Amino acid sequence: MERIIYNSKNKIYKNPFGALPTEESCTFSIDILKSEEPLEVFFSYRKDAAADPCYVNMDYVCETGDYLRFSCRLSFSASGLYFYRFEFSYPGGKRFCGKKDGTAFIEDWLDEWQLTVYDKSFQTPDWAKGAVMYQIFPDRFCRSDNYMLQTPKNERKIHESWFEVPDFIYDNPEYKGNDFFCGNLKGIAERIDYIKSLGVDVIYLNPIFESPENHRYSTADYTKVDPYLGTNEDFKELCSRFREAGIRVILDGVFSHTGADSIYFNKFGHYDSIGAWQGSASPYYNWYQFNDSEIGYDCWWGFETLPNVNETEPDFLNFITGEEGVLSYWQKLGASGWRLDVADELPDGFLDALRKRLKQTDPDALIIGEVWEDATNKFAYGVRRRYLLGNQLDSVMNYPWRNAVIDYVKTGGAKLFCSRITEIMENYPAPVLNCLMNILSTHDTERIINVLGVTHNVAHSEAAEYHLTEEEYNRGKAGFMAAAFLQFALPGIPSIYYGDEAGLTGFRDPYCRMGYPYGREDFELIDFFQGLGKLRKQYREDFSMPAECFAAGEHTVIFTRGALLFAINMGSYEESVKLSSNFVTIYGGEHINFQNNMLALPEHTFVALKKEGQNMVENKEK
């Protein structure tokens, strides 16, 4: 028998569940075995980095079987990250209760529980809640013939065929990334009906600003669309057309570095400006940090083409976040928000100023940061980051979610999956949860069909010529459909990386950036995603509601959103779940037996149901 019982994910022991707004009270309760007989019970908490904890006396509440229950209720006036544990006093001294493998134990030097406290005024855009996103790598999505190619300032190569493999010379430091397929903004606009058919509410465009490289993360001019993509007027027209169709556009903001081949640095003399490379007479000189290294300046992860900027240098900060700065300029042309590249490398002062400017220009602007870990407790460059406490980001790219989904689809471990998903829902503030960018593929990762279909290692030097076998493709496709079901059903914004929905494959950069497979689409997958999009549209209010996730078997997961229930079994045999309400099937379930409230899920199947009664699941395990 356990000596103590505490579960931060169960409202019996912590109410309300999850992150807490400032000034809102929370009740903490713990059950202690009667034979322990403590003299006093304390709730011990400390704000992140505080030297000494605070103590709150927990009152005896009642007996519950063989246990004594103690509780306390408190609120927090300051936002931040808090850590807590429990302490018991005995005649002979103290005992400490902390977290071990997610469970409460009486033992010294254990982990503490995390409590995220965010500003009570923190709001995120309502339009993003329940939305569907489509991510586009502009050079590889669609090339319109109704477009006059403009002359760039630097050397570029244009692929003859849309279906060629992107250039990449393995381990060659001279690789420039200057091969282009000439996808453009007019091409994206011409695909508006297709994008809308997927149920998309927002498009996220990888960088569109002038740049010598196809990925355009080496910005040459923040004020101009790249000449191979079109013009600023083309962007304005694109935003207008998509807004009329109910679809918003957000941009990729690359503000931790610029390109060396840029109007600001001008290392190669391609611009008429006096760039920082030309010396201290340049108005941009103070943006950069020059040194006596072999390269001569501070650059992003050692890439000479990407000189780092001092983001809080007053001139640069004003250039980006000022009243007439870069952010406001593109918002006035129609941008509805930004995804911030390498948010870890953007100082707090810059992010504070960025949020202030964006929200002043448009309170409904969406701000998403690139963060690969749990963004609530991220520690970067010696600083605990405060991305999601109310004064910086609205959302982040949800890589922890992606990892949990991929592992579950591969292994079928329901209990571990639920634990990982529930931890995300526990740590992230409520305004953030429904805005999280839930990804399966991106421009920085292998295509999801490769991840789930190829079971052996493929060297990067061999990736360009590797073609999935029929068995690998079918395995990856089946796993992808199960993962996408979870992507569309769980809290957050499901983000489709262009071409995934059409069966596009590829290993990591640059092979995850192939051209959209026109004429080679997997229409079964497209139909599948169109169905998921319609489901989100039809039940959008439910998809904005909180979720609860349960392991209903060794491999079966049940989760609820409003009046909806979702069930998925990623095991290799059938599992059954007893439901205590009447339901109707609203998505999937063609081969699923549902009689007398008993849901029998065959291996690798999933279904969405709509509740007709009140109580939803019996014998649920959190």
Side-chain angles (χ1 to χ4, degrees):
M1 184 175 289
E2 296 172 345
R3 297 168 67 186
I4 46 92
I5 300 175
Y6 178 74
N7 182 355
S8 64
K9 299 173 176 62
N10 189 325
K11 288 184 178 180
I12 292 175
Y13 300 101
K14 178 179 172 292
N15 192 9
F17 167 79
L20 196 68
T22 52
E23 310 297 342
E24 182 174 315
S25 296
C26 184
T27 299
F28 298 87
S29 301
I30 188 168
D31 291 345
I32 304 174
L33 199 63
K34 291 178 181 178
S35 58
E36 290 288 320
E37 297 182 352
L39 295 175
E40 290 183 293
V41 180
F42 296 96
F43 178 82
S44 170
Y45 72 93
R46 60 181 178 85
K47 194 173 183 184
D48 188 33
D52 299 312
C54 300
Y55 292 91
V56 177
N57 189 275
M58 301 187 74
D59 298 321
Y60 167 74
V61 176
C62 64
E63 289 188 15
T64 172
D66 294 319
Y67 294 86
L68 305 174
R69 179 164 296 165
F70 294 82
S71 295
C72 66
R73 187 169 180 82
L74 67 158
S75 61
F76 302 84
S77 59
S79 62
L81 206 61
Y82 292 78
F83 296 94
Y84 66 91
R85 65 181 184 182
F86 302 92
E87 296 186 12
F88 316 129
S89 67
Y90 293 85
K94 285 186 177 182
R95 292 178 186 168
F96 306 97
C97 173
K99 183 172 65 170
K100 184 177 182 181
D101 298 326
T103 304
F105 276 86
I106 295 177
E107 194 175 310
D108 290 341
W109 312 116
L110 291 179
D111 289 338
E112 299 169 300
W113 285 271
Q114 174 183 317
L115 176 65
T116 308
V117 178
Y118 60 95
D119 193 290
K120 63 182 179 181
S121 63
F122 184 22
Q123 294 181 342
T124 53
D126 287 338
W127 64 262
K129 297 163 187 174
V132 175
M133 177 181 289
Y134 195 74
Q135 179 188 348
I136 295 175
F137 193 84
D139 186 58
R140 311 290 161 80
F141 181 60
C142 185
R143 180 170 59 200
S144 172
D145 294 330
N146 183 29
Y147 170 69
M148 182 68 71
L149 196 66
Q150 301 175 62
T151 303
K153 291 183 172 63
N154 27 54
E155 178 189 353
R156 300 188 184 191
K157 166 191 170 181
I158 298 176
H159 284 273
E160 292 183 6
S161 169
W162 183 255
F163 298 106
E164 289 180 10
V165 176
D167 287 357
F168 189 78
I169 303 173
Y170 186 68
D171 281 348
N172 184 348
E174 302 301 320
Y175 167 71
K176 295 182 178 180
N178 63 345
D179 60 311
F180 289 78
F181 288 78
C182 293
N184 49 53
L185 297 183
K186 286 187 180 295
I188 295 171
E190 289 172 3
R191 297 289 287 163
I192 188 169
D193 290 339
Y194 169 71
I195 293 170
K196 188 174 182 179
S197 77
L198 298 171
V200 170
D201 303 281
V202 55
I203 294 171
Y204 153 44
L205 299 178
N206 285 111
I208 65 168
F209 304 144
E210 184 174 318
S211 167
E213 296 174 287
N214 55 57
H215 51 71
R216 299 186 173 95
Y217 282 95
S218 49
T219 309
D221 190 335
Y222 285 109
T223 67
K224 292 181 181 177
V225 167
D226 187 83
Y228 274 20
L229 285 177
T231 65
N232 293 16
E233 188 61 33
D234 290 334
F235 174 75
K236 182 178 180 180
E237 181 182 351
L238 181 144
C239 290
S240 177
R241 288 187 60 186
F242 274 98
R243 182 64 76 98
E244 289 175 4
I247 300 173
R248 298 175 186 247
V249 177
I250 65 172
L251 293 175
D252 207 329
V254 187
F255 302 125
S256 73
H257 52 270
T258 69
D261 190 1
S262 68
I263 193 173
Y264 315 108
F265 202 77
N266 206 14
K267 184 174 183 178
F268 307 105
H270 290 155
Y271 291 84
D272 294 334
S273 66
I274 301 175
W277 182 254
Q278 278 75 52
S280 58
S282 170
Y284 311 113
Y285 186 80
N286 290 334
W287 288 16
Y288 304 93
Q289 184 68 48
F290 290 91
N291 54 46
D292 58 2
S293 67
E294 183 178 348
I295 296 174
Y297 51 89
D298 186 22
C299 52
W300 188 79
W301 289 79
F303 290 95
E304 295 182 44
T305 58
L306 303 175
N308 275 332
V309 299
N310 303 315
E311 296 94 340
T312 54
E313 195 278 327
D315 285 342
F316 179 79
L317 189 64
N318 183 65
F319 177 72
I320 300 297
T321 69
E323 187 173 354
E324 301 299 324
V326 169
L327 298 174
S328 294
Y329 176 78
W330 291 100
Q331 282 183 279
K332 290 173 183 176
L333 286 182
S336 291
W338 298 77
R339 175 264 189 191
L340 302 179
D341 186 55
V342 291
D344 292 349
E345 301 181 29
L346 300 175
D348 282 332
F350 180 85
L351 289 178
D352 292 342
L354 180 142
R355 182 181 183 87
K356 183 177 180 180
R357 171 55 54 205
L358 286 176
K359 299 296 183 176
Q360 282 180 345
T361 306
D362 177 9
D364 272 343
L366 180 65
I367 311 169
I368 301 174
E370 181 195 9
V371 181
W372 287 61
E373 302 83 9
D374 184 326
T376 64
N377 51 40
K378 172 73 176 180
F379 210 85
Y381 297 92
V383 177
R384 179 83 74 181
R385 303 312 302 264
R386 49 182 175 85
Y387 302 124
L388 302 176
L389 299 180
N391 295 308
Q392 293 187 349
L393 308 177
D394 291 321
S395 170
V396 290
M397 300 177 74
N398 201 353
Y399 280 96
W401 179 96
R402 175 182 184 266
N403 297 336
V405 169
I406 288 173
D407 289 345
Y408 171 59
V409 171
K410 284 184 171 182
T411 67
K415 190 171 183 179
L416 177 60
F417 173 72
C418 287
S419 175
R420 294 168 75 176
I421 294 298
T422 305
E423 182 175 8
I424 293 171
M425 295 191 292
E426 182 178 21
N427 287 353
Y428 283 69
V432 174
L433 279 173
N434 282 329
C435 295
L436 286 172
M437 183 178 167
N438 288 344
I439 52 179
L440 292 172
S441 304
T442 74
H443 59 291
D444 287 325
T445 68
E446 294 179 56
R447 292 274 178 178
I448 187 63
I449 291 179
N450 287 61
V451 172
L452 298 174
V454 181
T455 57
H456 65 284
N457 291 328
V458 176
H460 199 45
S461 57
E462 302 172 1
E465 304 300 326
Y466 191 94
H467 297 281
L468 273 64
T469 65
E470 183 178 358
E471 179 183 359
E472 288 173 332
Y473 179 80
N474 289 335
R475 178 170 53 241
K477 174 181 173 179
F480 176 31
M481 293 169 79
F485 175 78
L486 292 167
Q487 183 186 30
F488 272 70
L490 285 166
I493 303 172
S495 179
I496 307 168
Y497 183 43
Y498 81 100
D500 270 3
E501 81 287 358
L504 196 55
T505 61
F507 292 100
R508 65 181 176 89
D509 170 23
Y511 311 117
C512 56
R513 303 172 181 180
M514 297 282 287
Y516 182 95
Y518 293 107
R520 306 176 182 182
E521 300 96 328
D522 185 328
F523 286 103
E524 182 184 17
L525 267 180
I526 291 176
D527 289 344
F528 176 75
F529 273 90
Q530 288 173 337
L532 288 175
K534 289 177 182 177
L535 187 71
R536 292 277 294 200
K537 293 287 188 186
Q538 185 174 357
Y539 298 101
R540 182 156 186 168
E541 184 175 346
D542 293 287
F543 283 110
S544 299
M545 301 287 284
E548 290 189 83
C549 188
F550 314 107
E554 186 177 357
H555 304 293
T556 298
V557 172
I558 299 285
F559 49 96
T560 62
R561 305 287 304 276
L564 307 183
L565 181 144
F566 304 88
I568 181 169
N569 173 16
M570 290 310 299
S572 57
Y573 52 83
E574 181 179 288
E575 290 188 337
S576 296
V577 182
K578 176 68 173 178
L579 306 177
S580 57
S581 295
N582 294 320
F583 291 87
V584 292
T585 301
I586 58 174
Y587 189 82
E590 292 83 0
H591 306 290
I592 292 173
N593 184 14
F594 183 36
Q595 293 181 345
N596 300 321
N597 288 357
M598 183 64 73
L599 179 64
L601 284 166
E603 60 184 88
H604 299 127
T605 55
F606 46 83
V607 65
L609 307 169
K610 184 176 184 298
K611 179 179 66 171
E612 291 185 337
Q614 294 298 318
N615 299 321
M616 299 195 73
V617 182
E618 291 184 350
N619 302 321
K620 55 195 177 188
E621 179 186 354
K622 287 197 173 182

